[in-house]
Amino acid sequence: MLDRDRAWFVADLLLLAAVPMVLLAVFALPLPVRRSFVFSYVNPTAVTAYTAHFVHLDVSHLAGNVAGYLLLAGVGYALAVLAGYRRFFMVALATFLLAFPFALSALNLAVPRNAIGFGFSGINMALAGLLPILWYCYAREHFAPAASLRALPAVFFALVGWIALLA
């Protein structure tokens, strides 16, 4: 591995690790502070439209979202690197972390109700949606182009089984 590649790899791992660190840091805030960052559908603000996606009110919700992120981002990153699509993955991740919270919050306003929204699940679902694209890229890069479409279901089920085993 070249020094430049190693530097990118270390930077990527630090960025990937920063997400659960932020989730844990936000969870360490006092409960009233965390509640002030949730997204109220009755009284929405631009700030809470973003912050709510990094807030968890109980440890089981946080643990599930962190575990999901580690599995989805870890497998996605590995596939992207193996397929030569590292930059694509990092741009997608940045989009999911910076733009998706606003979009997801706006979508939650489509159904009027007196409720609040919070948690990282929506961003995890975006990462889950990225996996089939990365699986296809991996299959296309590692098998003959004509065979890549035939190999995709095998790659898909092997990786889904692996993720289920890890979970």
Side-chain angles (χ1 to χ4, degrees), residues 19 22-23 26-27 50-56 96-98 101 118-120 123:
V19 172
V22 167
L23 296 175
V26 171
F27 188 74
Y50 184 80
T51 60
H53 297 277
F54 300 91
V55 173
H56 296 85
F96 298 161
L97 294 173
L98 299 173
F118 57 91
F120 202 73
I123 297 170

Side-chain angles (χ1 to χ4, degrees), residues 121-142:
S121 302
I123 297 170
N124 274 345
M125 290 304 100
L127 286 166
L130 182 62
L131 282 182
I133 296 167
L134 294 171
W135 289 330
Y136 173 76
C137 294
Y138 176 81
R140 189 181 66 210
E141 295 299 322
H142 286 81

Side-chain angles (χ1 to χ4, degrees), residues 75 79 82-83 131-143 147-163:
V75 170
L79 282 171
L82 291 171
L131 282 182
I133 296 167
L134 294 171
W135 289 330
Y136 173 76
C137 294
Y138 176 81
R140 189 181 66 210
E141 295 299 322
H142 286 81
F143 303 103
S148 66
L149 290 177
R150 285 180 292 185
L152 189 57
V155 173
F156 173 80
F157 287 113
L159 288 172
V160 167
W162 183 61
I163 289 172

Side-chain angles (χ1 to χ4, degrees), residues 24-164:
L24 291 169
V26 171
F27 188 74
L29 296 170
L31 185 59
V33 175
R34 282 184 278 149
R35 284 189 185 274
S36 71
F37 289 126
V38 302
F39 187 67
S40 169
Y41 302 153
V42 175
N43 188 22
T45 69
V47 171
T48 60
Y50 184 80
T51 60
H53 297 277
F54 300 91
V55 173
H56 296 85
L57 300 180
D58 62 71
V59 73
S60 62
H61 187 204
L62 171 69
N65 276 283
V66 169
Y69 169 79
L70 293 173
L71 283 170
L72 293 165
V75 170
Y77 180 76
L79 282 171
V81 168
L82 291 171
Y85 283 76
R86 180 200 146 275
R87 183 179 170 133
F88 171 75
F89 175 83
M90 297 310 287
V91 169
L93 180 63
T95 302
F96 298 161
L97 294 173
L98 299 173
F100 270 41
F102 294 110
L104 293 170
S105 293
L107 286 171
N108 279 319
L109 294 176
V111 177
R113 59 194 182 274
N114 186 9
I116 59 172
F118 57 91
F120 202 73
S121 302
I123 297 170
N124 274 345
M125 290 304 100
L127 286 166
L130 182 62
L131 282 182
I133 296 167
L134 294 171
W135 289 330
Y136 173 76
C137 294
Y138 176 81
R140 189 181 66 210
E141 295 299 322
H142 286 81
F143 303 103
S148 66
L149 290 177
R150 285 180 292 185
L152 189 57
V155 173
F156 173 80
F157 287 113
L159 288 172
V160 167
W162 183 61
I163 289 172

